[in-house]
Amino acid sequence: MQAPGSTLPSPDDRELVEGFARVVAVEPGRVWLEPEQTSSCGGCHSAGLCGVGSRNPKRLELRRFALGGDLGLQMGERVVVGIPETSLSRGALVAFGVPLVFLAAGGIAGQEFGRSDGLAFVGAVVGLAVGLLVSRVLASVMTARGQLTPRFLRRAYQPAQGASCSPDQG
Amino acid sequence: MEHYILLFISAALVSNVVLMRFLGLCSFMGVTTRVDTALGMGASTTFCITISAMIDWGIEYYLLEPYGLGYLRTVTFILVIAAAVQFTEATVRKVSPTMFQLLGIYLPLITTNCAVLGVNLLLVEGHMNFIESTLFALASSLGYSLVMVLFAGLRERLALADVPRLFAGPPIGFITASLLALAFMGFSGMSTN
């Protein structure tokens, strides 16, 4: 069992989703990392049009995260971080699934009791607001348990100076 | 309630947005290399489609239809979808910044996903009331997510299989997708019941 908030890999984590990040700031007791531009999409010839292929520094800055503990990392260093696969799916369900369930329930209740589109709309909006609040509470519980915190796995492979290629190997 | 359940099954399975209407094929092929990415993309798309369908219903029945502005429908819906994606992004960031770090990468992809616009345009053709259109959008997008996760699972297995070199990669992906579409055709008989 691991202490809540720990950023080290746990033996309980059967499968981790791994990603690359770069150290952008080092503070006493924690480091700030910026995830490398990755895309869930495989990419195509139109990648520049949908924004997947473009490197937006502001977007990456918003996704910066901190890792606690003395990890001995230097500025600019590339590391491999991971998060349990179950956390990702649970996070998606909490962030998107819970508000939608409340939205649908509120909308149906409004329609059934009021028999009008106006009340159904009000019910759906109220349901969405309640769902977002519930989602926020659940998300804070998951964060407090450290379920959504990426874990430091290892330093990423650094190509030798003057190497002709730099494979993205962990 | 039975009416809503039938509407839900019809939108999610019988008229599946990917395998029956062939919408959202770009993300269907591009984001289904892993189950977790497919689930993240599916969940965020479901949220955006439902929110944009709610707003588009209001715009259609209180603005576009009464004033004969139907020719502005596509442009208006695209703007609403872009706004819904921004709203989703801001909401997820507010609900949990950590979740935004995990799930934020899928949101830019949704803006250009034709399934989102397609579902909104189908709602106009259906002439449904508010709750029916919202449930139809929710069910359609859940059907999209289901197919994404199923296909991602198949592709994860295919990645380990000994596929002939000629069929490796996208060709075997398309063959698998066609078999999946054939399987979903089995639901079409349910619509007459």
Side-chain angles (χ1 to χ4, degrees), chain A residues 107-108 111-112 115, chain B residues 1-9 129 131-132 135:
Chain A
I108 291 172
Q111 178 71 31
E112 291 298 310
R115 298 271 165 207
Chain B
M1 189 54 81
E2 191 189 345
H3 170 63
Y4 297 135
I5 294 168
L6 284 175
L7 179 77
F8 215 85
I9 292 170
N129 65 21
I131 194 65
E132 283 173 348
L135 286 180

Side-chain angles (χ1 to χ4, degrees), chain B residues 83-106:
Chain B
V85 171
Q86 289 300 314
F87 168 78
T88 310
E89 192 166 324
T91 307
V92 176
R93 204 183 306 153
K94 196 81 181 164
V95 165
S96 168
T98 328
M99 274 190 195
F100 177 73
Q101 287 153 12
L102 298 176
L103 304 166
I105 52 166
Y106 308 110

Side-chain angles (χ1 to χ4, degrees), chain A residues 87-111:
Chain A
S87 297
L88 199 65
S89 49
R90 264 188 226 157
L93 288 176
V94 166
F96 301 115
V98 172
L100 285 177
V101 168
F102 278 86
L103 182 150
I108 291 172
Q111 178 71 31

